[in-house]
Amino acid sequence: MTTTAFLHLQPKIAQALTRVKLAHCAPPAFRPAADVEGVEPCPRCGSKLVFTVSAATGLSDGRCTAACGVRWAAQ
Ligand SMILES: [Zn+2]
C-alpha cells in the first residue's frame, strides 16, 4: 500500500501528520534543526498525541496515548 493510499484511508492521521510537518519540517530543509519531541491533542479522540521528528532524516513518528488508532512511523 502506498503512503498516499494509507493517508487517504486515515484522514485523522494525515491531519495530525500534516500539522507536525508544517510546524517542524518547513522548506528549504524539510527537517528540524534539532530532534523534536512534542505533544498535541489527538485529532480523532482528543487525548494526548506524542510525536517525534528526527533532525537527521526529517521523518516523524507519532502515537496517540489512548491507542485510538492514530499512529504513524517514519513518515
Ligand atoms: Zn487518539
Side-chain angles (χ1 to χ4, degrees), residues 1 6 9 13 15 19 30 32 34-35 37 39 48-49 52 55 59-63 69 75:
M1 180 178 288
F6 174 75
L9 290 172
I13 297 176
Q15 184 180 333
R19 279 216 302 260
F30 299 103
D35 287 346
E37 292 186 27
V39 179
K48 286 199 303 184
L49 173 64
T52 63
L59 295 178
S60 172
D61 289 0
R63 179 177 60 84
Q75 293 289 324

Side-chain angles (χ1 to χ4, degrees), residues 24-50:
H24 301 292
C25 299
F30 299 103
R31 64 185 65 174
D35 287 346
V36 172
E37 292 186 27
V39 179
E40 67 171 68
C42 173
R44 177 173 284 166
C45 73
S47 297
K48 286 199 303 184
L49 173 64
V50 296

Side-chain angles (χ1 to χ4, degrees), residues 9-29:
L9 290 172
Q10 302 288 344
K12 294 301 187 185
I13 297 176
Q15 184 180 333
L17 178 58
T18 298
R19 279 216 302 260
V20 169
K21 287 292 189 176
L22 286 174
H24 301 292
C25 299

